[in-house]
Amino acid sequence: MPVVTPTRDERISQLASLYRTQCKALLRFLGRKVGQHDAADLAHEAFIRIARADLSQTPLHNERAFLFQIAANLAVDYQRAQRRQSRVLTTSEIDDLLTVADEAPGPEREAQSRVELQGLGAALRELPPRRAEAFRLSRLEGLSHAAIATRLGVSLRTVEADVRMALDHCAERLHARRHPD
């Protein structure tokens, strides 16, 4: 038996008729499931979904049943979403949220960092100017070694050696300041 697809005007007429005959019943049905406040929104969504349904391949034998099935599914989805949103935290979850460790450094760590920064500055001042500049461009400005070589007018190997020697010098000086044996 061939499937007869209604025209656009016929489909609009069918939907308007379905709306007129089923809207109040659908609102009561949804009101019992989700409350009157949210029933209208879900009913509206159900009618939108039935209007968008592609019925060209499978015609409906019972549009009312299809509409109410869509509405029931929307109500279940709505209730799940409400449960996720309104989940009550347990006492231990609340305690965990309230006992977040303060990750900001304390005054002692800040003072130690200032001393280390001063030591790094002193170590950099001990370096030859080109080596200090190569280190600054590499570590503070983030330039590539090739870009530094171009800027300073030296070879890539020279920049690599200057940066490595500057790092070694600074590490040695900072270690000596921490462990003055």
Side-chain angles (χ1 to χ4, degrees), residues 166-176:
L167 284 170
D168 290 346
H169 176 77
C170 291
E172 181 182 304
R173 291 293 189 252
L174 290 175
H175 179 75

PDB file of all heavy atoms in Angstrom, residues 166-176:
ATOM      1  N   ALA A 166      75.454  30.574  30.939  1.00  0.00           N
ATOM      2  CA  ALA A 166      74.736  31.487  31.836  1.00  0.00           C
ATOM      3  C   ALA A 166      73.878  30.689  32.816  1.00  0.00           C
ATOM      4  O   ALA A 166      73.844  31.002  34.014  1.00  0.00           O
ATOM      5  CB  ALA A 166      73.876  32.454  31.027  1.00  0.00           C
ATOM      6  N   LEU A 167      73.184  29.673  32.313  1.00  0.00           N
ATOM      7  CA  LEU A 167      72.371  28.821  33.202  1.00  0.00           C
ATOM      8  C   LEU A 167      73.241  28.131  34.254  1.00  0.00           C
ATOM      9  O   LEU A 167      72.898  28.104  35.443  1.00  0.00           O
ATOM     10  CB  LEU A 167      71.607  27.772  32.378  1.00  0.00           C
ATOM     11  CG  LEU A 167      70.387  28.268  31.619  1.00  0.00           C
ATOM     12  CD1 LEU A 167      69.897  27.194  30.661  1.00  0.00           C
ATOM     13  CD2 LEU A 167      69.290  28.630  32.599  1.00  0.00           C
ATOM     14  N   ASP A 168      74.363  27.578  33.802  1.00  0.00           N
ATOM     15  CA  ASP A 168      75.266  26.905  34.737  1.00  0.00           C
ATOM     16  C   ASP A 168      75.778  27.879  35.793  1.00  0.00           C
ATOM     17  O   ASP A 168      75.820  27.560  36.992  1.00  0.00           O
ATOM     18  CB  ASP A 168      76.458  26.282  33.988  1.00  0.00           C
ATOM     19  CG  ASP A 168      76.058  25.094  33.130  1.00  0.00           C
ATOM     20  OD1 ASP A 168      74.924  24.569  33.308  1.00  0.00           O
ATOM     21  OD2 ASP A 168      76.868  24.710  32.253  1.00  0.00           O
ATOM     22  N   HIS A 169      76.160  29.073  35.380  1.00  0.00           N
ATOM     23  CA  HIS A 169      76.681  30.076  36.304  1.00  0.00           C
ATOM     24  C   HIS A 169      75.613  30.467  37.341  1.00  0.00           C
ATOM     25  O   HIS A 169      75.895  30.518  38.546  1.00  0.00           O
ATOM     26  CB  HIS A 169      77.136  31.317  35.517  1.00  0.00           C
ATOM     27  CG  HIS A 169      77.608  32.431  36.378  1.00  0.00           C
ATOM     28  ND1 HIS A 169      78.849  32.437  36.986  1.00  0.00           N
ATOM     29  CD2 HIS A 169      76.992  33.589  36.763  1.00  0.00           C
ATOM     30  CE1 HIS A 169      78.987  33.539  37.707  1.00  0.00           C
ATOM     31  NE2 HIS A 169      77.869  34.265  37.582  1.00  0.00           N
ATOM     32  N   CYS A 170      74.396  30.734  36.860  1.00  0.00           N
ATOM     33  CA  CYS A 170      73.322  31.142  37.773  1.00  0.00           C
ATOM     34  C   CYS A 170      72.980  30.016  38.742  1.00  0.00           C
ATOM     35  O   CYS A 170      72.796  30.259  39.942  1.00  0.00           O
ATOM     36  CB  CYS A 170      72.081  31.565  36.990  1.00  0.00           C
ATOM     37  SG  CYS A 170      72.296  33.121  36.079  1.00  0.00           S
ATOM     38  N   ALA A 171      72.909  28.783  38.245  1.00  0.00           N
ATOM     39  CA  ALA A 171      72.593  27.645  39.117  1.00  0.00           C
ATOM     40  C   ALA A 171      73.678  27.473  40.174  1.00  0.00           C
ATOM     41  O   ALA A 171      73.385  27.229  41.360  1.00  0.00           O
ATOM     42  CB  ALA A 171      72.453  26.372  38.277  1.00  0.00           C
ATOM     43  N   GLU A 172      74.919  27.627  39.778  1.00  0.00           N
ATOM     44  CA  GLU A 172      76.041  27.498  40.721  1.00  0.00           C
ATOM     45  C   GLU A 172      75.973  28.581  41.799  1.00  0.00           C
ATOM     46  O   GLU A 172      76.133  28.298  42.981  1.00  0.00           O
ATOM     47  CB  GLU A 172      77.356  27.602  39.939  1.00  0.00           C
ATOM     48  CG  GLU A 172      78.601  27.465  40.793  1.00  0.00           C
ATOM     49  CD  GLU A 172      79.845  27.634  39.933  1.00  0.00           C
ATOM     50  OE1 GLU A 172      79.978  26.873  38.950  1.00  0.00           O
ATOM     51  OE2 GLU A 172      80.660  28.522  40.238  1.00  0.00           O
ATOM     52  N   ARG A 173      75.697  29.818  41.400  1.00  0.00           N
ATOM     53  CA  ARG A 173      75.621  30.923  42.358  1.00  0.00           C
ATOM     54  C   ARG A 173      74.435  30.755  43.313  1.00  0.00           C
ATOM     55  O   ARG A 173      74.566  31.016  44.512  1.00  0.00           O
ATOM     56  CB  ARG A 173      75.506  32.276  41.639  1.00  0.00           C
ATOM     57  CG  ARG A 173      76.743  32.690  40.907  1.00  0.00           C
ATOM     58  CD  ARG A 173      77.866  32.978  41.920  1.00  0.00           C
ATOM     59  NE  ARG A 173      78.996  33.571  41.256  1.00  0.00           N
ATOM     60  CZ  ARG A 173      80.148  32.934  41.049  1.00  0.00           C
ATOM     61  NH1 ARG A 173      80.310  31.709  41.456  1.00  0.00           N
ATOM     62  NH2 ARG A 173      81.128  33.566  40.441  1.00  0.00           N
ATOM     63  N   LEU A 174      73.287  30.362  42.784  1.00  0.00           N
ATOM     64  CA  LEU A 174      72.117  30.171  43.652  1.00  0.00           C
ATOM     65  C   LEU A 174      72.329  29.003  44.616  1.00  0.00           C
ATOM     66  O   LEU A 174      71.947  29.076  45.779  1.00  0.00           O
ATOM     67  CB  LEU A 174      70.854  29.939  42.805  1.00  0.00           C
ATOM     68  CG  LEU A 174      70.352  31.162  42.043  1.00  0.00           C
ATOM     69  CD1 LEU A 174      69.185  30.784  41.144  1.00  0.00           C
ATOM     70  CD2 LEU A 174      69.953  32.274  42.998  1.00  0.00           C
ATOM     71  N   HIS A 175      72.966  27.952  44.144  1.00  0.00           N
ATOM     72  CA  HIS A 175      73.256  26.817  45.023  1.00  0.00           C
ATOM     73  C   HIS A 175      74.225  27.239  46.131  1.00  0.00           C
ATOM     74  O   HIS A 175      74.053  26.873  47.294  1.00  0.00           O
ATOM     75  CB  HIS A 175      73.852  25.657  44.207  1.00  0.00           C
ATOM     76  CG  HIS A 175      74.187  24.463  45.039  1.00  0.00           C
ATOM     77  ND1 HIS A 175      73.226  23.612  45.509  1.00  0.00           N
ATOM     78  CD2 HIS A 175      75.380  24.007  45.506  1.00  0.00           C
ATOM     79  CE1 HIS A 175      73.808  22.667  46.232  1.00  0.00           C
ATOM     80  NE2 HIS A 175      75.124  22.885  46.239  1.00  0.00           N
ATOM     81  N   ALA A 176      75.217  28.031  45.765  1.00  0.00           N
ATOM     82  CA  ALA A 176      76.198  28.503  46.758  1.00  0.00           C
ATOM     83  C   ALA A 176      75.517  29.386  47.795  1.00  0.00           C
ATOM     84  O   ALA A 176      75.880  29.361  48.986  1.00  0.00           O
ATOM     85  CB  ALA A 176      77.336  29.253  46.062  1.00  0.00           C
TER      86      ALA A 176
END
